[in-house]
Amino acid sequence: MTVRSAAIMARARDLFPGGVSSPVRAFRGVGGEPFVVYRGEGPRLVDADGRQYIDYVLSWGALALGHASPPVLDAIAEAMQRGTSFGAPTELEVELGELVRQRMPHVEMMRFVSSGTEATMSAIRLARAATGRECILKFDGCYHGHGDAFLVRAGSGVATLGLPDSPGVPDSLAALTLSVPFNDLDAVHEAASVQGSRLAAIIVEPIIGNAGFIAPDPAFLRGLRSVADDAGALLIFDEVMTGFRIAPGGAHERFAVRADLTTLGKVIGGGLPAAAYGGRRDLMEMVAPSGPVYQAGTLSGNPLAMAAGLATLRLLTPSLHQKVEARTTRLVSGLREIAARLRVPFTADSAGSMFGFFFRAEPVRSFADARASDVQLFRRFFHAVLELGVYFAPSPFEAGFVSAAHGDAEIDATLDRVERALGAARA
Ligand code: KE4
């Protein structure tokens, strides 16, 4: 029974739209009511009714070390003794910036902000200023936060709720953003020729995590690089989700394609609100106060978030990354074997500690493919495995994550419960 969760959600629905602080949390993509979290510990969540779940959402990818990781808590507690916010320079933000640049040398200069949305909005403003152009090219199913420029055929919560675009975004603004299918370089060439000298930037999730998990074809990202170069536009890698997950150095390390600007979030704050945009020094020096492109934030570089991010990245060494990647690969292989044994059409993929699956036999290369998967089976499976204590993202259009706290015992328990749940749900 989820009596306490239900009572709390009744109060929440009277206070917040849908009873939640962010749409995708409302379980609209799977039906039913969300559980209310009481605490997180390592790989697990405990809800208000004491029920435990092995957690593969991990605050939507932010918790690379798992919930309430002791070194992260210690770092926050230590920083907290000196105060919680100053609105002034601190050495903590310098140390985190140096560590980010050490992992991602192409991020020559950066600016910390408080959310991925702020990071992508600022990167687009900078790209428009640097090129003197207005148009943006994005990809169907990619989600870059809720900035006006991006709510065009977006993924994540927008896709989950089946909202084609969002009301409130002026047509004149939406018209500046073109969205084409991921992995379709012909469509990219066509769009770039339509936008021509008006194209300011191509923005992409190097691996889509917001339409479910969709990997790029081998030549796709390199293709985007050359289209951007030919068009005189910038290439922006939105690594809010893939950063520090698909490789220690993110997409640049995994795919050897260099973006002009990169956005980061989630892991970089270790579970506290922090994000960043950065890249080529000549571009970033255009940002105020060194340049005219204005962007600001009261809590940018918040010392507690910097401390949590530092503690996280310091521990997220290449060897730990490889260990978590191996566990993720074992989980995904196990899921494939179960689906094959149960003769359920299924495709799954992973990169580093990020993974996804669809109930569909053919590979998923685009958002259209993802939407053609068996979403009804996903809904039944989601609830059946949740009942057994495994929490995947409450939408087929999200990715899953493994943390350093997920041990072999969690992977084994997950696979056992998945087999039981899928056996029941497929019928
Ligand atoms: P935030 O503004 O939510 O911190 O970041 C926006 C964002 C930007 N870029 C990418 C690639 C992202 O995945 C996100 C946020 N991801 C979603 C989950 N897929 C956040 C969850 C939510 O919206 O509640």
Side-chain angles (χ1 to χ4, degrees):
M1 277 300 282
T2 58
V3 175
R4 279 190 46 72
S5 281
I8 294 167
M9 282 310 295
R11 290 158 52 201
R13 273 195 298 279
D14 186 45
L15 276 168
F16 316 128
V20 291
S21 295
S22 194
V24 75
R25 306 178 189 177
F27 277 28
R28 295 290 169 86
V30 290
E33 280 289 310
F35 56 88
V36 171
V37 174
Y38 170 63
R39 62 179 297 172
E41 45 200 15
R44 279 180 183 73
L45 282 174
V46 182
D47 74 11
D49 295 276
R51 295 158 57 113
Q52 295 199 16
Y53 308 89
I54 300 173
D55 180 13
Y56 290 100
V57 179
L58 292 167
S59 186
W60 305 97
L63 300 170
L65 302 182
H67 291 281
S69 165
V72 176
L73 298 190
D74 291 346
I76 295 169
E78 200 274 329
M80 200 160 54
Q81 302 313 315
R82 300 197 297 276
T84 58
S85 180
F86 310 113
T90 67
E91 188 174 17
L92 278 170
E93 62 191 356
V94 173
E95 288 177 305
L96 183 55
E98 287 171 339
L99 188 48
V100 167
R101 187 165 62 184
Q102 189 187 6
R103 298 280 169 86
M104 300 183 170
H106 56 290
V107 181
E108 299 170 337
M109 182 176 264
M110 70 201 84
R111 167 65 58 81
F112 286 118
V113 294
S114 298
S115 74
T117 294
E118 266 195 279
T120 55
M121 280 170 63
S122 308
I124 288 298
R125 182 178 305 140
L126 177 55
R128 284 172 163 158
T131 60
R133 300 174 174 187
E134 292 184 334
C135 291
I136 304 297
L137 181 57
K138 71 175 286 289
F139 296 88
D140 300 349
C142 281
Y143 175 72
H144 303 293
H146 65 85
D148 282 346
F150 305 118
L151 292 179
V152 175
R153 294 221 288 275
S156 184
V158 183
T160 298
L161 301 179
L163 300 171
D165 301 321
S166 170
V169 177
D171 291 346
S172 57
L173 199 51
L176 297 177
T177 300
L178 262 188
S179 191
V180 298
F182 189 70
N183 277 326
D184 184 342
L185 273 177
D186 292 342
V188 174
H189 282 288
E190 194 181 324
S193 64
V194 165
Q195 292 181 324
S197 60
R198 297 177 63 219
L199 180 60
I202 299 173
I203 185 168
V204 68
E205 294 180 57
I207 293 180
I208 302 185
N210 287 293
F213 181 104
I214 305 178
D217 292 345
F220 183 63
L221 297 176
R222 185 158 306 290
L224 296 186
R225 180 70 271 174
S226 61
V227 168
D229 291 341
D230 295 349
L234 300 186
L235 178 60
I236 302 173
F237 276 173
D238 178 356
E239 291 227 66
V240 166
M241 193 187 281
T242 57
F244 313 109
R245 282 237 173 240
I246 61 173
H252 183 256
E253 177 178 327
R254 190 173 184 94
F255 299 112
V257 174
R258 185 188 182 110
D260 300 298
L261 291 173
T262 296
T263 54
L264 298 167
K266 297 180 194 280
V267 172
I268 199 175
L272 268 65
Y277 66 104
R280 280 172 34 198
R281 182 179 296 276
D282 64 307
L283 295 173
M284 291 306 293
E285 283 179 342
M286 293 182 68
V287 177
S290 53
V293 181
Y294 198 72
Q295 177 270 314
T298 301
L299 295 175
S300 297
N302 173 268
L304 305 192
M306 298 293 103
L310 262 173
T312 299
L313 290 191
R314 281 173 175 155
L315 283 167
L316 205 51
T317 59
S319 60
L320 180 61
H321 179 89
Q322 279 154 17
K323 196 170 144 195
V324 183
E325 180 166 42
R327 292 243 168 81
T328 308
T329 308
R330 189 161 82 80
L331 171 69
V332 168
S333 307
L335 295 176
R336 289 197 193 103
E337 285 160 20
I338 291 166
R341 242 191 330 274
L342 296 176
R343 290 182 173 47
V344 172
F346 184 84
T347 181
D349 199 354
S350 67
S353 58
M354 195 173 149
F355 69 96
F357 57 87
F358 294 96
F359 291 116
R360 172 182 158 93
E362 304 77 15
V364 172
R365 297 180 54 252
S366 69
F367 187 35
D369 291 349
R371 281 189 308 196
S373 65
D374 187 339
V375 175
Q376 293 314 316
L377 174 54
F378 178 88
R379 291 165 68 111
R380 296 195 303 273
F381 169 70
F382 170 84
H383 283 291
V385 78
L386 186 70
E387 275 304 303
L388 298 176
V390 176
Y391 177 45
F392 289 119
S395 164
F397 307 125
E398 293 288 354
F401 307 93
V402 176
S403 81
H406 286 70
D408 285 325
E410 281 72 34
I411 303 300
D412 293 339
T414 299
L415 292 172
D416 172 62
R417 297 173 194 181
V418 162
E419 180 132 24
R420 287 154 57 198
L422 190 53
R426 67 173 172 167

